[in-house]
């Protein structure tokens, strides 16, 4: 048993046909469309069955069929797709349905003041997954699963809106569960807020769990997935367990976020796709993005172990009606052709465990329920992702479950501002370092307990060789002086460390620990009535407080940064903070398994296929034109990338061209130089023992 469609295919399409009924006709030349999709290399199509308006595109007896559509579009698509060997996944928009909302106003999601959400995403009626609406949805799932040979389902918009849901069904469920009404605006740090957030998560979790059970009950081979399954920002790991494949959309020009998503998704060992609109950045723009942009997103997805899905749409009416523009299919086709050429080196590839970054969902929830700084865009995780990718370090982002079961596979663990760690996690980390593992931690890591209260000292104080004193009173700190061991090319002057949300910590180094840098305080805390120059004050007072501490513990070693260095880097982009971080890593692990010297645009991903290693070098630079959106229109090649890997090798070559790459063997390592990388190069090491 088991359907491995998402493991053996890499090229997908999302036919995102939210046509509505506002135009006089809605047409699709299905045969021509599917043939074009096949020519463009698509292996699966996530095909519209119910749109954001609530219109169905199949023979439904329960829902509202789009009145402008003739015939059964889904049946036709499946029939045509079969001719081309394409699998159809049923796209179903769960949350948005104006037909049901109009007839059943009690099914709408409501805020605390009982206002229904009528303009979700600017236009749409949003329904509650905890209301009886769910049975309408499940009934439609059954219609599709029983009557159409689809390969799986994709649910979109399974969201609980901000400050929702206070509908009568949620109010009654909450009361029956907690013996009290839903709090109107629960305060941070209270048990009420914690309960309310957990209730909101449960609405989605229970809907998805029951949806999967409903569909699997009809056919266990049908694959289930949804938008943002396996997404750290959603962090709904309980629901994710019911997904067969993971999906997140990602939008140029924020390319790095696709890589962050992939590094998290792949650590759950489920197949995943990154879904990007082939249009200029978002859905419904009706204008294609440059082909180089599409190719870049594909490279990010497949180099990191996933597949790429391109959203596209046909013009429903007007002089171009019924067709997806050739220009769109050509851009997708060009990208897919490149993916296809690389597939022998992608199939079954798994990330080589070298560096693990912990992103604790339990910790995220502790912060969200508290009054502690916990910005939703994860600046610490995004900052660290950027530091490591720009430093050419291969890494996975893992949750607690993987930490507890798989940490020993890794060589180095990073804890970026992980304020709350469970006792189990701390024990696991302690054992890991004692046995020779290397640990990097920053800022509040292990300093808070499960209810968001600060402890008297870090839980990992013994491992990190530090003790907590207090929080700085200044909103900025400078790192100075910096020990020669990690100073490298950092300018010899105090280096600003500023995160608008958090201050640095005053700590002491325990006996046996080494202070690699200290903090210097500003002359004063800037206010409108007391300031120097335009922003914050200049560095003036050296302090005895360590900024960077290294420590040996058991057979392992640790490195600690006493401030929000990752988020400060994310907010300021300071090259010196990145250099400080990477120099620290190098001091902690001077002989890493994989070393790459390249311009900062080159991201490294090291994947394994049995005894073969594939080192992906992806050359992506996120540029902004003075705050305006930019697209990748042309690829600027980089040259002379030096790679050194601690492995044996029989043969090294570049895929897919099979170009031999001469390599040297030295001290248990192999070394080679890749003369030029355009968008991407896959260096294949045969006979590797890493
Ligand atoms: Zn509700």
């Amino acid at each position: 048993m088991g359907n491995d469609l998402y493991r053996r295919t890499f090229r997908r399409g999302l036919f995102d046909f939210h046509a509505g009924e506002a135009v006089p006709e809605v047409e699709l030349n299905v045969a021509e469309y599917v043939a074009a999709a096949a020519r463009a290399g698509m292996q699966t199509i996530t095909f519209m069955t119910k749109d954001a308006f609530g219109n169905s595109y199949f023979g439904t007896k329960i829902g509202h069929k789009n009145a402008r559509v003739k015939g059964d579009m889904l049946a036709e698509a499946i029939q045509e797709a079969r001719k081309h060997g394409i699998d159809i996944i049923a796209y179903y928009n769960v949350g948005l349905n104006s037909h049901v909302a109009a007839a059943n106003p009690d099914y709408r999601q409501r805020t605390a003041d009982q206002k229904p959400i009528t303009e979700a995403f600017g236009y749409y009626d949003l329904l509650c997954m905890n209301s009886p609406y769910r049975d309408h949805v499940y009934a439609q799932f059954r219609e599709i699963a029983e009557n159409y040979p689809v390969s799986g389902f994709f649910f979109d918009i399974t969201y609980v809106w901000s400050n929702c849901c206070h509908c009568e069904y949620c109010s009654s469920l909450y009361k029956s569960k907690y013996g009290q009404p839903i709090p109107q605006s629960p305060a941070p740090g209270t048990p009420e807020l914690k309960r309310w957030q957990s209730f909101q998560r449960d609405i989605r979790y229970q809907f998805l769990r029951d949806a999967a059970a409903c569909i699997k009950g009809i056919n266990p081979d049908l694959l289930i997935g949804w938008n943002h399954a396996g997404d750290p920002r959603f962090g709904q790991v309980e629901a994710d367990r019911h997904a067969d494949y993971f999906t997140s959309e990602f939008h140029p020009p924020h390319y790095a976020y696709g890589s962050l998503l992939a590094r998290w998704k792949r650590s759950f060992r489920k197949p995943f796709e990154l879904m990007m609109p082939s249009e200029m950045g978002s859905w419904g723009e009706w204008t294609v993005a440059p082909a180089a942009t599409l190719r870049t997103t594909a490279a990010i997805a497949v180099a990191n172990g996933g597949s790429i899905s391109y959203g596209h749409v046909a013009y429903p009416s007007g002089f171009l009606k019924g067709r997806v523009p050739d220009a769109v299919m050509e851009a997708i086709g060009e990208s897919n052709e490149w993916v296809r050429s690389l597939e022998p080196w992608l199939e079954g590839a798994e990330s080589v465990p070298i560096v693990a970054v912990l992103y604790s969902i339990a910790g995220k929830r502790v912060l969200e329920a508290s009054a502690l700084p916990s910005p939703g865009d994860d600046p610490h995780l995004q900052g660290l992702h950027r530091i490591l990718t720009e430093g050419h370090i291969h890494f996975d982002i893992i949750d607690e479950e993987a930490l507890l079961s798989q940490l020993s596979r890794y060589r180095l663990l990073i804890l970026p501002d992980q304020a709350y760690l469970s006792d189990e996690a701390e024990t696991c980390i302690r054992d890991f370092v004692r046995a020779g593992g290397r640990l990097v931690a920053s800022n509040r890591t292990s300093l808070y307990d499960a209810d968001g209260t600060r402890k008297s000292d870090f839980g990992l104080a013994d491992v990190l060789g530090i003790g907590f004193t207090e929080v700085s009173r200044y909103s900025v700190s400078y790192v100075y002086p910096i020990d020669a061991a990690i100073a490298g090319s950092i300018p010899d002057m105090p280096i600003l460390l500023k995160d608008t949300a958090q201050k640095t910590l005053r700590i002491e180094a325990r006996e046996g620990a080494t202070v690699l840098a200290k903090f210097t305080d500003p002359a004063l805390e800037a206010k409108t009535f007391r300031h120097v120059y335009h922003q914050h004050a200049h560095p003036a007072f050296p302090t005895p407080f360590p900024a960077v501490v290294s420590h040996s513990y058991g057979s392992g070693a640790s490195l600690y940064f006493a401030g929000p260095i990752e988020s400060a880097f994310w907010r300021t982009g300071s090259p010196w903070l990145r250099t400080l971080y990477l120099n620290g890593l190098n001091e902690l692990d001077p002989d890493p398994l994989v070393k790459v010297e390249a311009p900062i645009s080159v991201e490294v991903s090291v994947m394994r296929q049995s005894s073969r290693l594939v080192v992906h070098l992806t050359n992506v630079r996120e540029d902004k034109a003075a705050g305006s959106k930019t697209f990748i229109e042309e690829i600027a090649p980089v040259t002379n990338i030096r790679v050194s890997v601690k492995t044996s090798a029989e043969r090294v070559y570049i895929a897919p061209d099979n170009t031999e790459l001469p390599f040297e063997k030295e001290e248990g390592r192999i070394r080679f130089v890749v003369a030029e990388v355009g968008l991407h190069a896959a260096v294949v090491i045969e006979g590797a023992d890493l």
Side-chain angles (χ1 to χ4, degrees):
M1 211 204 75
N3 181 344
D4 68 348
L5 175 68
Y6 271 71
R7 291 196 190 278
R8 58 185 166 74
T9 54
F10 295 88
R11 295 166 267 126
R12 319 191 184 288
L14 164 67
F15 185 66
D16 204 33
F17 200 52
H18 297 279
E21 294 176 317
V23 287
E25 48 188 352
V26 171
E27 286 201 13
L28 176 68
N29 186 329
V30 177
E32 188 187 274
Y33 159 64
V34 176
R39 279 197 304 279
M42 290 180 210
Q43 296 169 297
T44 68
I45 297 175
T46 301
F47 190 84
M48 178 60 63
T49 65
K50 203 227 89 187
D51 67 14
F53 299 85
N55 302 306
S56 298
Y57 295 80
F58 65 99
T60 180
K61 294 194 173 75
I62 301 153
H64 175 91
K65 197 161 165 288
N66 191 319
R68 307 275 186 260
V69 173
K70 296 181 207 91
D72 184 331
M73 213 177 258
L74 178 61
E76 260 190 88
I78 292 170
Q79 193 186 353
E80 293 301 322
R82 189 172 281 163
K83 294 180 191 166
H84 299 280
I86 295 175
D87 281 79
I88 296 289
I89 307 292
Y91 170 100
Y92 191 97
N93 193 303
V94 170
L96 309 177
N97 195 326
S98 297
H99 299 293
V100 171
N104 310 273
D106 54 328
Y107 293 177
R108 293 171 181 271
Q109 287 195 35
R110 285 170 196 275
T111 56
D113 55 6
Q114 288 300 310
K115 262 173 98 174
I117 308 299
T118 56
E119 292 182 2
F121 308 101
Y123 293 107
Y124 300 104
D125 289 302
L126 182 66
L127 300 181
C128 177
M129 291 176 284
N130 178 47
S131 74
Y133 171 58
R134 74 203 312 261
D135 295 323
H136 171 89
V137 174
Y138 295 158
Q140 282 213 299
F141 288 170
R142 258 180 242 116
E143 284 188 317
I144 296 168
E146 284 170 355
N147 301 323
Y148 296 88
V150 294
S151 300
F153 279 78
F154 174 81
F155 315 142
D156 201 4
I157 319 294
T158 55
Y159 309 145
V160 176
W161 216 244
S162 161
N163 196 23
C164 286
C165 176
H166 292 262
C167 79
E168 62 179 274
Y169 303 99
C170 288
S171 301
S172 144
L173 178 64
Y174 193 94
K175 229 180 263 176
S176 74
K177 205 168 168 185
Y178 298 113
Q180 50 183 267
I182 301 180
Q184 291 291 298
S185 52
T190 60
E192 284 74 25
L193 181 62
K194 204 171 178 175
R195 263 202 300 263
W196 173 232
Q197 289 173 341
S198 138
F199 180 83
Q200 289 177 303
R201 275 197 301 273
D202 273 357
I203 294 177
R204 182 170 187 260
Y205 165 66
Q206 286 166 8
F207 172 83
L208 290 168
R209 179 198 61 195
D210 296 350
C214 160
I215 291 165
K216 296 281 186 185
I218 295 163
N219 179 357
D221 278 347
L222 289 173
L223 296 169
I224 314 287
W226 53 84
N227 203 351
H228 300 290
D231 192 316
R233 202 171 284 178
F234 277 64
Q236 297 200 357
V237 283
E238 297 85 354
D240 292 345
R241 286 194 198 107
H242 295 275
D244 295 304
Y245 64 95
F246 284 172
T247 300
S248 284
E249 47 186 277
F250 90 111
H251 298 248
H254 191 2
Y255 303 96
Y257 202 64
S259 149
L260 188 157
L261 288 168
R263 287 169 190 274
W264 169 260
K265 286 179 194 292
R266 73 185 178 198
S267 74
F268 291 81
R269 305 211 166 159
K270 291 195 183 190
F272 68 90
E273 63 184 355
L274 295 182
M275 213 166 71
M276 83 152 287
S278 53
E279 298 165 331
M280 294 192 312
S282 199
W283 317 101
E285 313 246 28
W286 305 108
T287 303
V288 71
T293 299
L294 268 62
R295 234 170 32 239
T296 300
T297 58
I300 291 166
V302 303
N304 281 300
S307 57
I308 183 75
S309 174
Y310 290 118
H312 57 277
V313 66
Y315 300 114
S317 71
F319 80 107
L320 297 166
K321 69 184 174 195
R323 306 192 66 218
V324 177
D326 290 344
V328 171
M329 287 305 204
E330 280 161 17
I332 294 173
E334 192 183 308
S335 175
N336 279 343
E337 192 46 47
W338 173 79
V339 173
R340 185 207 301 264
S341 72
L342 209 61
E343 280 169 11
W345 295 273
L346 302 176
E347 280 156 20
E350 289 203 338
S351 170
V352 178
I354 299 176
V355 174
V357 171
L358 177 69
Y359 180 78
S360 162
I361 297 303
K364 170 188 170 72
R365 290 177 185 174
V366 166
L367 292 185
E368 281 171 355
S370 75
L372 297 163
S374 60
D377 61 347
D378 296 323
H380 58 307
L381 186 63
Q382 295 210 65
L384 178 58
H385 175 273
R386 201 181 143 191
I387 289 171
L388 297 179
T389 50
E390 292 180 351
H392 322 299
I393 290 168
H394 168 74
F395 63 102
D396 298 325
I397 306 172
I398 64 171
D399 74 343
E400 292 101 331
E401 215 175 285
L403 179 94
L404 295 175
S405 61
Q406 294 171 43
L407 181 57
S408 60
R409 299 167 69 222
Y410 290 90
R411 181 179 170 94
L412 193 148
L413 170 68
I414 304 182
L415 307 171
D417 196 17
Q418 297 296 291
Y420 166 70
L421 293 174
S422 67
D423 292 343
E424 259 180 308
E426 282 181 10
T427 303
C428 171
I429 293 163
R430 192 171 283 114
D431 293 345
F432 167 75
V433 182
R434 193 180 288 131
R438 293 161 178 83
L439 174 68
V440 178
S442 71
N443 206 34
R444 300 174 292 182
T445 294
S446 78
L447 191 55
Y448 285 80
D449 66 19
D451 64 13
T453 308
R454 196 171 67 210
K455 301 192 277 194
S456 59
D457 204 352
F458 299 96
L460 292 173
D462 55 336
V463 183
L464 298 169
I466 55 171
F468 176 74
T469 305
E470 60 176 5
V471 179
S472 168
R473 284 174 182 75
Y474 296 100
S475 53
V476 303
S477 291
Y478 294 87
V479 183
Y480 193 81
I482 302 173
D483 191 278
I486 58 166
S489 60
I490 299 169
D492 184 18
M493 64 184 286
I495 299 300
L496 178 70
L497 197 161
K498 179 180 186 176
D499 172 11
T500 45
Q502 291 197 65
K503 296 166 175 171
T504 58
L505 303 184
R506 310 291 212 196
I507 60 149
E508 56 178 16
R510 288 191 175 194
E511 208 183 310
T514 307
V515 176
L516 291 171
K518 290 183 181 173
F519 282 124
T520 289
D521 278 345
L524 49 81
E525 176 68 10
K527 296 283 174 194
T528 49
F529 48 82
R530 178 191 63 225
H531 57 96
V532 185
Y533 208 5
H534 304 327
Q535 302 186 55
H536 39 261
H538 55 282
F541 303 109
T543 77
F545 299 109
V548 186
V549 175
S550 70
H551 185 237
S552 292
Y553 183 81
S555 312
S558 70
L559 184 76
Y560 173 75
F561 296 98
I565 184 167
E566 298 95 351
S567 44
F569 172 69
W570 180 247
R571 296 190 201 282
T572 62
S574 164
W576 318 126
L577 293 182
R578 181 185 58 229
T579 306
L580 183 70
Y581 208 100
L582 293 173
N583 288 355
L585 276 180
N586 191 50
E587 176 72 8
L588 182 67
D589 185 14
D591 190 30
L593 299 180
V594 178
K595 242 192 290 192
V596 176
E597 289 169 56
I600 54 174
S601 60
V602 175
E603 173 180 343
V604 175
S605 185
V606 185
M607 307 295 284
R608 193 200 320 266
Q609 289 176 305
S610 63
S611 72
R612 174 199 270 172
L613 285 184
V614 183
V615 179
H616 294 271
L617 305 169
T618 312
N619 174 27
V620 180
R621 184 87 178 113
E622 263 179 23
D623 286 318
K624 275 204 179 115
S628 161
K629 220 183 216 183
T630 59
F631 292 91
I632 292 180
E633 297 177 57
E634 50 198 12
I635 311 284
V638 290
T639 55
N640 288 319
I641 314 300
R642 291 170 191 282
V643 182
S644 153
V645 185
K646 208 170 192 170
T647 182
S648 60
E650 287 155 16
R651 187 187 162 213
V652 179
Y653 63 97
I654 295 183
D657 310 336
N658 277 305
T659 316
E660 290 295 326
L661 205 57
F663 64 99
E664 290 167 20
K665 292 186 182 177
E666 191 188 318
E667 295 157 15
R669 309 187 73 98
I670 62 160
R671 291 169 209 277
F672 53 86
V673 177
V674 183
E676 184 176 302
V677 176
L679 167 62
H680 170 271
V683 181
V684 185
I685 304 172
E686 299 280 6
D689 62 355
L690 171 66

